[in-house]
Each structure stands twice: as C-alpha cells, then as structure tokens.
Amino acid sequence: MKIVNRSRVDLEVTHVWFATKPPVQLLNDGRRLPARLRPDETYETWVPAAALPPQPNLEKLARVRLSVGRTVKSRANKNVPPFGYAAGGGSA
C-alpha cells in the first residue's frame, strides 16, 4: 500500500488496514507506525497477499487513519510498476 501526503501540511499516519471481512491490519516491523509525512512525501508498507481474503475491488478497500482522527479511503493507482522498490517509511 502506498500513501502520499497530498496536503500542504505534515500528516501523521497511525493505522493502516484493508476494510475486508474480517479487517486486515498492515503491521510491518520494517515500516513501523506512526509515520510522519511531509507534503508530497510517500510511505509504503505491505502484507502478504495470502493474508488478504479474496474480495472484488480489493484496491478500493485500503484505509489510513491519521492522528487527527480522519480515516482516508484508497483509490486505485493504475500507473504502478508490477515490481520494484518500496518508498520510504516516513519519519518517526
């Protein structure tokens, strides 16, 4: 999952999950939360595909909780390469 801060202020990401049934939290020791993102900064994390239940439109079920209490829903990014490096982890 890739998160990009498109606002003009720093944001803090506190929780990342897929809103599947049951929900799947993205708990990745290599990409610990909370993560602070400056404007236009990127954070990426992942979960093994086998951990996700088969559901249609899975790319629309990603969720991000910000420290201000707002939950942001995902939208598909069709311009992502099929493989490569994960972007930075944000600052703690």
Side-chain angles (χ1 to χ4, degrees):
M1 178 187 302
K2 178 184 275 192
I3 302 164
V4 180
N5 179 359
R6 295 287 185 213
S7 75
R8 295 182 183 179
V9 298
D10 288 6
L11 295 175
E12 187 175 49
V13 176
T14 60
H15 297 80
V16 181
W17 73 98
F18 279 93
T20 54
K21 294 186 183 189
V24 176
Q25 299 290 327
L26 278 73
L27 303 173
N28 186 330
D29 285 338
R31 303 292 173 137
R32 299 188 69 99
L33 294 173
R36 182 168 297 279
L37 301 177
R38 296 181 310 261
D40 294 323
E41 189 173 10
T42 301
Y43 170 90
E44 284 188 83
T45 190
W46 55 88
V47 64
L52 296 169
Q55 285 193 242
N57 300 314
L58 194 58
E59 68 278 2
K60 294 180 180 180
L61 297 177
R63 302 289 184 264
V64 173
R65 178 91 170 173
L66 303 176
S67 62
V68 294
R70 182 174 170 219
T71 297
V72 180
K73 295 180 180 181
S74 64
R75 61 179 190 246
N77 182 350
K78 307 232 186 250
N79 297 318
V80 177
F83 59 88
Y85 294 101
S91 56

